[in-house]
Amino acid sequence: MSRGVTVWLTGLSGAGKTTIALAIAEQLRAAGREVEVLDGDELRRGLSAGLSFSREDRDTHVRRVGFVAELLARHGVVALVPVIAPYSGTRDEVRAQHDAHGTGYLEVHVATPLVECVRRDVKGLYARAASGELTGMTGVDDPYEEPDKPDLRLDTTGTDIAAAARRVMDLLTERGLA
Ligand SMILES: Nc1ncnc2c1ncn2[C@@H]1O[C@H](COP(=O)(O)OP(=O)(O)O)[C@@H](O)[C@H]1O
Ligand SMILES: [Mg+2]
């Protein structure tokens, strides 16, 4: 069985987490790997339905997704996790839980700056935050604690999706996980 790993893509809304995860998933599947994408937006409609965007509920969401990712990764799956995960302490808990089981874990900071995320405004959320219709928007009026020592930091401004995906694939190859 191939070694599983969790690849957590953390960063602001619109940074490119989902797009990059889906691109890598396609490549890994083509190479014969078992892959699951645990997308934050999707899981908030399922596993974490009913949770709010309070600090406590954001942490609960991240812990739940971390738990599922670790189970999958422990059994040989590449678990790709495009989830904002704004609090460093909670991200560290998830990493520690992987370490406790000897399960691989990589943190990728999709570090696209706020100004570029606002320019893209993929879901129209930044416009709603600017008009005051939406509060608690990460990076606007809610915290995002940047990772100190991510395994990879990726600013997608001015790069294409394929190049961003390649950086993550290279990291997996370097660590013997691709
Ligand atoms: N190099 C890149 N990597 C990833 N996404 C990019 C890149 N360049 C432009 N984009 C665009 O940025 C947007 C990112 O949206 P999305 O992946 O939904 O962000 P997130 O999941 O982080 O909220 C997409 O519209 C994507 O096409
Ligand atoms: Mg996303």
Side-chain angles (χ1 to χ4, degrees), residues 12-14 16-19 39-41 82-84 123:
L12 300 173
S13 178
K17 303 179 298 297
T18 297
T19 304
D39 188 77
D41 289 336
V83 169
I84 298 173
K123 293 168 222 151

Side-chain angles (χ1 to χ4, degrees), residues 5 17 30 33 37 42 44 54 61 82 93 97 105 110 114 128 134 149 156 173:
V5 61
K17 303 179 298 297
R33 294 298 308 260
V37 178
E42 274 175 38
R44 275 188 169 275
S54 68
H61 175 57
E93 274 178 42
Q97 193 218 347
Y105 185 85
V110 186
L114 181 64
R128 289 178 58 205
L134 179 75
K149 284 188 194 145
T156 68
T173 305

